[in-house]
Amino acid sequence: MDVMPKWADVILIPLISILLAAILSALVILAIGENPWAALKLMVSGALGSTYGWGYTLYYATNFIFTGLAVSIAFHARMFNIGGEGQAVLGGLGVALACLFIPWPHWTLALLGATLMAALFGAAWAAIPAFLQAKRGSHIVITTIMFNFIAAALLNYLLIGALKVPGSMEPATAKFPEATHLPSFQDMFNWGDTTFFRGAPANITFFVGLAACLALWALIWKTRLGYEIRSFGHSESAAKYAGISPTKIIMVAMLISGALAGMMAINNVQGEAERLVLNAVEGAGFIGIAVALMGRSHPFGVLLAALLFGFLYQGGAELALWTSIPRELIIVIQALVILFTGALDNMVRMPLERLFLSMRRART
Amino acid sequence: MDFATLLQMLDATMRLATPLLLACLAGLYSERAGIFDIGLEGKMLAAAFLSAAIAAVSGSVWLGLLAGIGASMVLSLIHGLASITFRGNQLISGVAINFLAAGLTVVVAQSWFRQGGRTPQLSGDARFNPIELPFAEALREVPILGPIYYELISGHTILVYVALLMVPLTWWILYRTRFGLRLRAVGENPAAVDTAGVSVIWLRFAAVGICGLLCGIAGSYLATALQAGFVKDMTAGRGYIALAALIFAKWRPWYALYACLLFGFLQAMSLRSDVIERMIGFQVNGQFLDVLPFILTVVILAGFVGKAIPPRAGGEPYVKER
């Protein structure tokens, strides 16, 4: 029997964890001589106070939806995919190849093709660590970390070599053809005189992200495969006994995970930059870890957490612009969220469980 | 490649292998006790920053070293708290520590020094300077051995020698002392150690503490000996390379030395790509040399060159039976 009601597990514990992370972040801001309240106000007005701010917030959130879902599906199979960063890098490569070398007639087809390529490349980059985990028992965390570095070096190598624009000094590919341009929010929500989302990078990929949330939810809770993944995650030996092949689950879960991480690239590479540059992922693969932990690996939770981190990212950029607080503050907040919602989960959980237990005893 | 260039390369190998070796041995203590630690990178980074900051302000590199070790130990304590006391996920805790260090170092550096997230340049007593071993100058003219002694063995900072001495010391502690036996046991079968009446919690905290100490020295070395000051993200993946070396060495101290020297040599090569080009006739991509440690480790993990078996209880929080 569970000690705590479900709402406490799903809502109360994450809320307390976030509160702790927020308090510590405020203390950090205080310690470097700035006003936390003013900082928060600036972040809110910068990220949510205009459609421009929203455009950035939703753009960042889209990245984090994909990487968060990627980490989540691996968590369901009790694996820790820390390689979202590398998989997203490879996804970007897939998108770039699709956009540069295939003459797409229309953006819808380009989106479809680029999505497929991104997913394929991301999944391929996850396949080797997954195979090593399934067949050799080498720890997926270690191998995916190494593959992050290898991916970064590979991209670097390609961008100063084969994919570079001849004659250019900049390590980047050529600009993608006009036909691959994805409609941005500015293109889509433009009725009448006022222009909404002017200059903001949010684009149609956000809706692809929402669809991915829905699809993953259906996969995890409404299909046989999802059931197998979850049972494997709960108990490997029980799953084995029930005739579920560990190799298959590890491979499938990691391939989906890699594909999702790779699909992030349609947002940042095709949607925003419209060419492939160095360090296009900007750590979004790692933020996926915080997002998945905070969202309790549930697609809806991931969506909310991704929106929160989108807000933090855009708000943090505004802080760096208007105050002396550097952008790296966001990394501190991200670390605290991972620490409290992930590693120190029991610190919040144990006293709460005791509290609920004593409340129940008092009732009976 | 002539003799002098070779000596230069090996000399650079020594200097670059030192932080790897210290971090690798740090990971060795922790992982042998059953606590996975992917936070080596973060601890080194925190130590690098605080050591450089304190050395810059106080002018004393030894105070800097102490502060660096302190910073690393605090992060170790957080890791211990999360993974031993609260039985959390050790890997997630390690990730959090890496980000905490990556963010805090820049935020604090900016707030203290206002130099875009770096510390002021260190010089004089605020740095570890090379020490010349006895007779190095006198023996320099001796053929072959003289230059080897002068260039390669002498003329490093004290921390290089400390790192090298840590290898036999670690071997001795792990395999010749009671503490070492218990440490290894607690990483393989903590229940057995508990049954024998030895505290699992205490042993693991001790291991994590030693890990923090060594990471602290490694980070301080980066900022106050290898380079003169802290810059953003200056560890540049060294914590992960150390982790790779640890797997490469299959969690054994002497092999850790060899692995770190190999990886240090690769780093030295990527800095001197001109030498490689002259030697083998074509250009080797520096990127490739930089990631070669990771590729080699993946090959090892794939089991092509013997199997790397981690300590059995690694990553599992210990729950006392009731």
Side-chain angles (χ1 to χ4, degrees), chain A residues 209-220:
Chain A
L210 292 184
C213 284
L214 204 65
L216 200 72
W217 172 80
L219 175 83
I220 295 174

Side-chain angles (χ1 to χ4, degrees), chain B residues 90-108:
Chain B
Q90 300 168 5
L91 300 162
I92 292 177
S93 166
V95 170
I97 283 169
N98 283 341
F99 285 126
L100 200 58
L104 269 185
T105 48
V106 179
V107 170
V108 178

Side-chain angles (χ1 to χ4, degrees), chain B residues 58 84 139 172 204 217 225 248 295 299 307 312:
Chain B
S58 72
I84 305 169
L139 292 173
W172 184 78
R204 287 190 161 172
I217 303 177
F248 211 74
I295 297 176
V299 170
K307 202 165 180 341
R312 195 183 301 164

Side-chain angles (χ1 to χ4, degrees), chain B residues 1-38:
Chain B
M1 183 161 59
D2 58 289
F3 187 58
T5 322
L6 177 72
L7 275 185
Q8 270 179 20
M9 295 273 293
L10 292 178
D11 184 58
T13 301
M14 279 308 303
R15 279 184 282 120
L16 291 167
T18 298
L20 299 181
L21 182 58
L22 284 165
C24 186
L25 291 174
L28 191 133
Y29 279 99
S30 182
E31 302 214 344
R32 270 298 177 105
I35 304 293
F36 280 151
D37 196 349
I38 52 177

Side-chain angles (χ1 to χ4, degrees), chain A residues 142-158:
Chain A
I142 302 292
T143 39
T144 46
I145 288 179
M146 317 240 143
F147 269 70
N148 283 342
F149 284 97
I150 301 174
L154 178 70
L155 187 73
N156 208 329
Y157 171 72
L158 288 174

Side-chain angles (χ1 to χ4, degrees), chain B residues 187-251:
Chain B
E188 298 288 336
N189 190 346
V193 177
D194 203 15
T195 312
V198 182
S199 165
V200 173
I201 307 278
W202 188 88
L203 264 172
R204 287 190 161 172
F205 261 109
V208 168
I210 297 173
C211 173
L213 171 77
L214 291 176
C215 275
I217 303 177
S220 307
Y221 172 84
L222 278 180
T224 59
L226 192 64
Q227 280 155 38
F230 171 86
V231 288
K232 179 185 167 184
D233 286 331
M234 77 179 304
T235 41
R238 282 188 175 89
Y240 298 112
I241 296 182
L243 215 55
L246 186 59
I247 297 166
F248 211 74
K250 298 175 188 169
W251 294 269

Side-chain angles (χ1 to χ4, degrees), chain A residues 81-133:
Chain A
N81 178 14
I82 200 170
E85 192 79 7
Q87 290 143 18
V89 166
L90 263 281
L93 185 60
V95 168
L97 293 179
C99 288
L100 285 173
F101 296 109
I102 303 175
W104 299 103
H106 191 255
W107 66 264
T108 43
L109 293 174
L111 176 61
L112 205 66
T115 308
L116 275 177
M117 281 287 273
L120 203 68
F121 271 61
W125 205 245
I128 307 170
F131 180 79
L132 290 177
Q133 167 84 57

